[in-house]
Amino acid sequence: MAVPEIDRGLWIRNFHEMPGRKTRLVCLPHAGGSASFFFPVSRALSSELDVVSIQYPGRQDRRREKCVETIGELARRIVEVLDPRPGGQPIALFGHSLGATLGFEMARLMEERDAAPVHLFASGRRAPSRSRDESVHLRDDEGILTELRELSGTDDRVLGSEEVLRMALPAIRNDYRAAETYVYEPGPALSCPITVFTGDNDPKVTLDEARAWSTHTSTDFQMHTYTGGHFFLTDHQPAMLRTISGRLAPVTVGAT
């Protein structure tokens, strides 16, 4: 089923559109996050890659839309919008936290279309096959805010202002519910390489849980560990982007 162009514009944000057919890097935000979180990634890599970020329903300019309640359904809807096709534009996926699990489920759906992504970059998230008993989504508003402050520290690049944060609470609660109720269904390993980024002091991911992503690919796996907690990527962006650029360089050369 074809997706109207206006709907694609709601979902796909291209902050630095550049001419030419290049590998597309699709960025997938964390729980409660928005497409603009990846603006710096677009700014840094847009000369090399077609960098786009996904705007989930229920936040910012999509605030009045109903949130998507499960990772599986969100993955299906994003893949429909991206419409990957065999032999089409190469697509790589880069997700942080919830976005990493979402990227994994999207990769599975893309493989069903014979249009597998060329790479999956998973940041700040345990492997899909590793589960935890978590229930942050059941807390009251102040409980969820406490969780977010503990994860982000004082980094306003993650949370923004208190007023904006409280406006985003319905989307944040929804996303936590989606992440915490996600159930991995065993299946074949992905055919694309997986690169994992993780923080050495992330309360949401142990190094063993991050390393377990290696079981979800039948090909190359790399893991890069950085100092910091759950949002380590805000402090280590240059190093991470060099890795992404380097890993995609052979594909990008073939796509130009």
Side-chain angles (χ1 to χ4, degrees):
M1 179 178 176
V3 177
E5 196 60 37
I6 187 172
D7 289 346
R8 292 183 190 279
L10 286 173
W11 287 89
I12 302 174
R13 306 299 164 92
N14 192 328
F15 300 116
H16 303 89
E17 191 167 356
M18 300 288 283
R21 182 176 180 275
K22 305 173 183 178
T23 300
R24 170 166 281 193
L25 179 66
V26 179
C27 300
L28 305 163
H30 53 280
S34 60
S36 57
F37 181 77
F38 289 102
F39 183 90
V41 175
S42 174
R43 181 175 54 203
L45 295 181
S46 61
S47 63
E48 307 169 41
L49 302 166
D50 176 20
V51 182
V52 300
S53 188
I54 300 299
Q55 184 79 312
Y56 309 145
R59 63 220 67 211
Q60 291 187 333
D61 58 328
R62 304 190 71 182
R63 188 172 65 255
R64 298 186 185 280
E65 296 181 48
K66 187 178 185 296
C67 293
V68 180
E69 296 183 351
T70 69
I71 286 178
E73 176 62 14
L74 186 58
R76 185 190 66 78
R77 292 182 65 179
I78 296 172
V79 169
E80 284 183 0
V81 170
L82 291 173
D83 193 22
R85 303 184 182 190
Q89 182 183 28
I91 293 177
L93 305 172
F94 173 30
H96 181 68
S97 196
L98 170 144
T101 306
L102 176 62
F104 171 75
E105 290 297 333
M106 287 174 57
R108 283 179 145 184
L109 293 172
M110 291 168 68
E111 292 210 344
E112 290 178 4
R113 291 180 170 220
D114 294 321
V118 295
H119 211 107
L120 171 61
F121 297 94
S123 171
R125 185 67 174 168
R126 61 183 178 269
S129 53
R130 294 296 186 94
S131 62
R132 291 189 183 189
D133 184 13
E134 297 176 316
S135 57
V136 174
H137 71 280
L138 297 177
R139 299 180 187 178
D140 62 14
D141 289 354
E142 290 305 319
I144 292 179
L145 290 172
T146 297
E147 165 81 2
L148 293 174
R149 294 187 188 103
E150 289 175 350
L151 290 180
S152 67
T154 59
D155 195 338
D156 60 9
R157 290 171 294 180
V158 176
L159 293 185
S161 70
E162 182 80 7
E163 180 183 4
V164 170
L165 187 59
R166 288 186 179 278
M167 288 176 59
L169 269 173
I172 295 169
R173 184 183 299 278
N174 175 85
D175 292 354
Y176 264 91
R177 182 188 303 110
E180 292 176 344
T181 60
Y182 168 80
V183 177
Y184 167 72
E185 295 187 7
L190 297 178
S191 63
C192 68
I194 296 177
T195 297
V196 166
F197 303 117
T198 192
D200 63 0
N201 195 34
D202 187 345
K204 307 296 281 186
V205 188
T206 67
L207 295 182
D208 182 62
E209 287 173 329
R211 197 173 292 112
W213 277 96
S214 63
T215 66
H216 293 293
T217 176
S218 61
T219 181
D220 189 37
F221 172 80
Q222 288 187 11
M223 182 168 124
H224 299 262
T225 305
Y226 302 94
T227 57
H230 192 58
F231 285 99
F232 64 90
L233 72 171
T234 59
D235 293 322
H236 298 282
Q237 178 183 294
M240 291 175 63
L241 297 189
R242 284 194 297 271
T243 297
I244 291 173
S245 177
R247 296 284 273 163
L248 293 181
V251 182
T252 301
V253 168
T256 55

